[in-house]
Amino acid sequence: MNKNSNAYTFIFAIAMVVIVAVTLSFTATSLSPLQKENVRKEKMQSILSTIGIETSRENAEELFNKYITQQIALNHEGEEKEGVSAFEVDLAKELAKPIEEQTYPIYMANYEGSEYYIAPLRGNGLWDAIWGYIALKDDANTVKGVIFDHKGETAGLGAEITTDWFQQRFADEKIFNENGELVGVNVVKGYSGGSDKDDNKVDSISGATITSDGVSEMIENRLKSYLPFFKKRQDIKVVTR
């Protein structure tokens, strides 16, 4: 075939497209198990970080198995759903279902002699989804730690929810108010409460009001899903009305 002909150029272009497509497809298929494993271990890292355990991806599973003592999938009434892996629950998909069909994962941890309850979070920021985890101490009221992430918040503004300085503000905050109502932790613009850990408030991120509101709503809404579970556990003293 004449290499200078239009037919040759056309056939050559098609062949290259096919070769590239096959190569990309093979690469994606080959890397898929590795990518899923990385996501799985990053999830373990996030859960552990809420109780103060920072670890590498390589050590995440070992420490997760050591300190996470229980993983329970709950229904909307706070009862365990048999045969459902809490770790495999996709909260984004669950929240799209009717409430009576939703599943809520919760993790129990024992670290340095203390018990913790860790729940996943998911909500909406300014541009897209935000998510994370919150760890409560054994009173089911006091925050041990949080971790947040996002899909598309603005760098230097809403994206600051991922920073240590913002997340550390939540430590020792209470999720129940003085009347025993679950209100979560409100991220308030211009907050002047200083180190008050009993007012259910922290200072917001300057210039990121909508993302800050999203964090407040996310914490309150998601934790309310666990109220039936906390009420059913006899060893937890939860003040509710």
Side-chain angles (χ1 to χ4, degrees), residues 37-61:
E37 182 65 7
N38 287 339
V39 169
R40 192 175 72 91
K41 290 185 175 180
E42 286 173 2
K43 182 175 180 177
M44 292 178 178
Q45 286 179 283
S46 295
I47 292 171
L48 290 170
S49 72
T50 63
I51 57 173
I53 301 174
E54 300 299 333
T55 180
S56 66
R57 188 180 298 168
E58 290 72 22
N59 296 328
E61 186 161 11

Side-chain angles (χ1 to χ4, degrees), residues 23 26 49 54 58 60 69 77 85 93 136 159 180 204 209 227:
T23 301
F26 175 78
S49 72
E54 300 299 333
E58 290 72 22
T69 56
E77 295 180 339
S85 169
K93 293 181 180 179
L136 302 177
S204 69
T209 301
L227 266 178

Side-chain angles (χ1 to χ4, degrees), residues 41-232:
K41 290 185 175 180
E42 286 173 2
K43 182 175 180 177
M44 292 178 178
Q45 286 179 283
S46 295
I47 292 171
L48 290 170
S49 72
T50 63
I51 57 173
I53 301 174
E54 300 299 333
T55 180
S56 66
R57 188 180 298 168
E58 290 72 22
N59 296 328
E61 186 161 11
E62 177 185 354
L63 295 178
F64 186 87
N65 292 333
K66 180 179 180 180
Y67 294 112
I68 302 301
T69 56
Q70 282 185 280
Q71 305 176 52
I72 303 177
L74 304 170
N75 64 19
H76 70 290
E77 295 180 339
E79 300 168 338
E80 183 174 358
K81 300 182 74 169
E82 299 290 343
V84 179
S85 169
F87 194 83
E88 299 300 324
V89 173
D90 185 333
L91 192 58
K93 293 181 180 179
E94 295 303 314
L95 296 178
K97 300 176 182 178
I99 292 178
E100 61 273 12
E101 297 178 13
Q102 293 178 7
T103 301
Y104 311 112
I106 190 163
Y107 305 88
M108 271 69 84
N110 186 311
Y111 179 55
E112 296 184 339
S114 297
E115 301 284 342
Y116 301 103
Y117 301 85
I118 306 166
L121 305 169
R122 191 171 184 89
N124 298 307
L126 173 60
W127 302 113
D128 214 313
I130 55 176
W131 60 86
Y133 293 88
I134 185 168
L136 302 177
K137 297 182 181 180
D138 60 1
D139 61 357
N141 184 19
T142 307
V143 177
K144 169 62 177 176
V146 299
I147 186 168
F148 302 127
D149 208 341
H150 67 95
K151 184 175 182 180
E153 300 308 287
T154 306
L157 297 173
E160 294 293 289
I161 63 173
T162 64
T163 59
D164 289 341
W165 63 261
F166 178 69
Q167 294 172 11
Q168 288 168 359
R169 293 177 177 177
F170 292 80
D172 295 321
E173 290 289 335
K174 305 295 189 296
I175 63 169
F176 290 92
N177 65 18
E178 58 184 11
N179 297 319
E181 301 167 316
L182 197 161
V183 296
V185 182
N186 294 302
V187 184
V188 179
K189 182 178 180 180
Y191 173 68
S192 58
S195 59
D196 187 349
K197 294 297 183 178
D198 296 316
D199 62 359
N200 315 105
K201 297 176 183 178
V202 298
D203 195 11
S204 69
I205 300 169
S206 179
T209 301
I210 295 178
T211 306
S212 297
D213 290 344
V215 170
S216 300
E217 294 172 4
M218 174 175 70
I219 293 174
E220 180 181 359
N221 292 339
R222 297 287 67 79
L223 288 181
K224 281 185 175 178
S225 300
Y226 294 93
L227 266 178
F229 168 76
F230 290 135
K231 290 179 181 180
K232 289 176 184 293

